Amino acid sequence: QVHLVESGGGSGQAAGSLRLSCAVSGYRHDSYWMAWFRHAPGKEREGVAAININYGSTIYADSVKGRFTISRDSAKNTLYLQMNSLKPEDTAMYSCAAEGEVVVVGFEGYQYWGQGTQVTVSS
């Protein structure tokens, strides 16, 4: 059973920073992608950043390039999202996701999801 549990959300000021964590357990694939998504009220869910766990390849949404960094600590089985230079438009529910039996392409095809953690950025 794969479990993803996010933490680290909260309130922040514009231009500030927050770091999200996603603890992973029960995952048995050797090479796979993990990603962060966000969903703001009235908007569609958006892929924010993704990383290939084995090779370290990353992709970012244009809206966060240069501000957010995705990384993973293999020893702790934890995925991170470092968010700098926060903007009010970054306010959303952030969820981590992991590739399953279906091969991921970009931000499509993720099978396993966490419950999410809320990030609110004030101006």
Side-chain angles (χ1 to χ4, degrees):
Q1 188 82 6
V2 177
H3 288 286
L4 307 176
V5 179
E6 301 93 339
S7 61
S11 299
Q13 294 283 332
S17 298
L18 285 173
R19 188 176 80 157
L20 305 183
S21 301
C22 174
V24 184
S25 62
Y27 204 84
R28 302 186 185 280
H29 291 236
D30 293 329
S31 176
Y32 58 101
W33 285 86
M34 290 197 69
W36 287 97
F37 289 77
R38 67 186 180 186
H39 195 181
K43 296 184 179 180
E44 293 188 358
R45 185 173 64 193
E46 174 188 23
V48 174
I51 184 169
N52 183 283
I53 298 305
N54 267 20
Y55 301 107
S57 310
T58 57
I59 56 174
Y60 292 92
D62 288 342
S63 57
V64 305
K65 279 181 182 176
R67 301 189 298 122
F68 291 10
T69 303
I70 188 171
S71 63
R72 195 239 187 175
D73 185 327
S74 298
K76 296 181 179 179
N77 279 337
T78 302
L79 180 74
Y80 299 102
L81 183 68
Q82 178 67 43
M83 305 186 295
N84 299 328
S85 302
L86 286 166
K87 302 176 180 180
E89 51 263 45
D90 294 322
T91 295
M93 180 70 75
Y94 284 73
S95 300
C96 63
E99 183 177 15
E101 300 302 324
V102 174
V103 175
V104 159
V105 178
F107 289 112
E108 299 294 328
Y110 285 86
Q111 180 176 348
Y112 301 106
W113 294 84
Q115 293 297 313
T117 185
Q118 178 68 36
V119 171
T120 303
V121 182
S122 56
S123 58

